[in-house]
């Protein structure tokens, strides 16, 4: 079955960096675009970034553009999010999510998420 | 960005009764070339990630009970739970995927038992 397992979250000081990972299994990872979606404590969902199935294109929300970098290693079935210059506003649970159909950006599988606390 | 506005913020419904959640987009999410509405609905229970319920505004995801239905077109959409069950207590979100460079979600609607 499809599984997405995030890791790498934790408590980090403002201005520092953190790298999140999302290990995928149960499907052909290299066939799917992948996304990061975050949720601040007690708040709604905010899309963060996407990467095409082959890593050829990457897009970011304005709130993270220039600070976050999405990447993937299809040989390791792993998605990454490098987060730099973190601020309190980045405190959230970060979920990785799979787009249900290549190029159509709704999400059929989500990971449980990893909590990032900037403090 | 396309702004997604959900209403109400919360609602309490008796078991077996109908629950209706509205979602309005600031611009149309209907793609004229294929006549599809780029709108999805998710359910999120406490401590869990969101779960896909509906896509293309009205297509139920496999395994989703048929008491969940989606309707609407253009800018106005509705998620209906025809007969509320205890396990439906959750927060529900709409999401537009029309603007592929800036995906946006509604603010969420919390559904509780009256």
């Amino acid at each position: 079955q499809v599984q997405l397992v995030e890791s790498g979250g934790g408590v980090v000081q403002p201005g520092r960096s953190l790298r999140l990972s999302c290990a995928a299994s149960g499907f052909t990872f290299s066939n799917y675009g992948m996304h990061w979606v975050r949720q601040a404590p007690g708040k709604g969902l905010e899309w963060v970034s996407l990467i095409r199935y082959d890593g050829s294109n990457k897009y970011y929300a304005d709130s993270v553009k220039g600070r976050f970098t999405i990447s993937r290693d299809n040989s390791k079935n792993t998605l990454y999010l490098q987060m730099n210059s973190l601020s309190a506003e980045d405190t959230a649970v970060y979920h990785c999510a799979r787009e249900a159909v290549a190029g159509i950006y709704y999400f059929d599988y989500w990971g449980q998420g990893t909590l990032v606390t900037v403090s | 960005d396309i702004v997604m506005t959900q209403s109400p913020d919360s609602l309490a419904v008796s078991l077996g009764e109908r629950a209706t959640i509205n979602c309005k987009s600031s611009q149309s999410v209907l793609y004229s070339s294929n006549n599809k509405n780029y709108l999805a609905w998710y359910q999120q229970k406490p401590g869990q990630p969101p779960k896909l319920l509906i896509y293309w505004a009205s297509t139920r995801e496999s395994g989703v009970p048929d008491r969940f239905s989606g309707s609407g077109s253009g800018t106005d959409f509705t998620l209906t739970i025809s007969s509320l069950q205890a396990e439906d207590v959750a927060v529900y979100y709409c999401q537009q995927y029309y603007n592929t460079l800036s995906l946006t979600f509604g603010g969420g609607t919390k559904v509780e038992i009256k």
Side-chain angles (χ1 to χ4, degrees), chain A residues 3-118:
Chain A
Q3 279 199 307
L4 299 171
V5 180
E6 302 92 339
S7 62
V11 180
V12 61
Q13 294 178 331
R16 304 297 291 264
S17 300
L18 208 58
R19 187 199 201 199
L20 307 183
S21 299
C22 169
S25 60
F27 66 103
T28 304
F29 181 68
S30 58
N31 286 352
Y32 289 85
M34 297 294 296
H35 299 244
W36 288 98
V37 178
R38 69 184 180 182
Q39 187 167 30
K43 302 296 185 183
L45 300 166
E46 179 188 16
W47 173 78
V48 172
S49 182
L50 82 88
I51 185 168
R52 299 290 297 275
Y53 68 98
D54 58 358
S56 60
N57 294 93
K58 307 172 185 180
Y59 301 101
Y60 302 92
D62 287 344
S63 58
V64 307
K65 203 172 294 183
R67 300 187 299 122
F68 289 13
T69 302
I70 192 171
S71 62
R72 65 191 296 159
D73 186 337
N74 285 346
S75 69
K76 295 183 178 179
N77 292 340
T78 303
L79 174 72
Y80 303 99
L81 186 67
Q82 177 67 42
M83 305 186 295
N84 299 331
S85 303
L86 286 162
S87 70
E89 289 69 39
D90 297 316
T91 294
V93 172
Y94 285 73
H95 299 276
C96 59
R98 187 186 86 165
E99 52 190 55
V101 177
I104 305 294
Y105 302 152
Y106 64 91
F107 313 118
D108 59 351
Y109 287 95
W110 298 63
Q112 283 285 343
T114 186
L115 176 61
V116 173
T117 302
V118 184

Side-chain angles (χ1 to χ4, degrees), chain B residues 38-113:
Chain B
Y38 283 52
L39 190 285
W41 289 96
Y42 301 88
Q43 174 195 66
Q44 187 177 31
K45 298 181 180 180
Q48 296 185 18
K51 173 189 174 183
L52 177 65
L53 296 177
I54 303 283
Y55 55 96
W56 299 129
S58 61
T59 302
R60 201 178 302 114
E61 173 71 338
S62 175
V64 173
D66 60 7
R67 63 180 180 273
F68 291 92
S69 64
S71 62
S73 184
T75 61
D76 293 279
F77 301 91
T78 300
L79 175 70
T80 301
I81 310 172
S82 61
S83 177
L84 192 75
Q85 305 300 303
E87 60 265 32
D88 301 334
V89 169
V91 179
Y92 293 83
Y93 294 94
C94 60
Q95 179 226 335
Q96 65 80 18
Y97 46 101
Y98 181 91
N99 183 346
T100 57
L101 300 187
S102 183
L103 307 174
T104 48
F105 294 85
T109 296
K110 186 175 185 179
V111 174
E112 300 172 308
I113 304 295

